[in-house]
Amino acid sequence: MSAVRDELETIRCVELSILCARDIIVERNTEPPNLFAKVKFADEECSTHVYAGGCPQGARHDLVRLHCTEGDHKVTVELHDLPGFHVGSLVIDLLQVTAKEPTVMVFALQEAGDFHAAPSLHLGELAIRLETGLQHFYTPPPPGPPN
């Protein structure tokens, strides 16, 4: 995390879990997709598994906690199919998320990945569970050696 970001006020904490994808376009058709998502926020990035077509019973999902500031409040989610096909991406403005309890929302992919698509083509959807936390200030740790 950058030093400049540490000094900014956190205005919203959002927890995000990517549940599953449906109606997606993938490069292969002989086997089920093996999906993962790259979550990009501020100057950080992480990856998480994404189920295709729905969530099996007992499915587990990674939880990503994002601390929004006035300058950093949009998260980009890129959907990929192994071994490296970029399916598409979407952007979520986290300041528009107001759910105080876990809420599942379905987002359409907004941009095609490794292929050209007509603007009217439906690229697929991601089901994402979102929840906002209380607004608070981020206090950076005091300077000095770590304990």
Side-chain angles (χ1 to χ4, degrees), residues 32-87:
N34 185 5
L35 303 174
F36 71 96
K38 288 183 182 177
V39 179
K40 298 179 177 184
F41 180 72
D43 56 355
E44 299 180 57
E45 178 180 315
C46 68
S47 296
T48 182
H49 175 76
V50 178
Y51 293 97
C55 297
Q57 187 173 5
R60 300 189 71 147
H61 307 282
D62 293 327
L63 179 69
V64 180
R65 183 170 293 131
L66 307 170
H67 295 271
C68 305
T69 67
E70 288 292 339
D72 292 323
H73 55 86
K74 291 187 180 181
V75 62
T76 299
V77 179
E78 292 182 354
L79 183 64
H80 294 263
D81 182 24
L82 291 174
F85 180 73
H86 179 196
V87 177

Side-chain angles (χ1 to χ4, degrees), residues 76-126:
T76 299
V77 179
E78 292 182 354
L79 183 64
H80 294 263
D81 182 24
L82 291 174
F85 180 73
H86 179 196
V87 177
S89 60
L90 61 93
V91 176
I92 304 169
D93 184 345
L94 298 174
L95 293 183
Q96 302 301 314
V97 177
T98 59
K100 297 287 186 204
E101 296 181 8
T103 302
V104 175
M105 302 175 80
V106 177
F107 294 90
L109 292 175
Q110 300 161 344
E111 291 186 28
D114 290 337
F115 60 96
H116 296 286
S120 61
L121 181 64
H122 177 70
L123 301 172
E125 299 172 327
L126 286 175

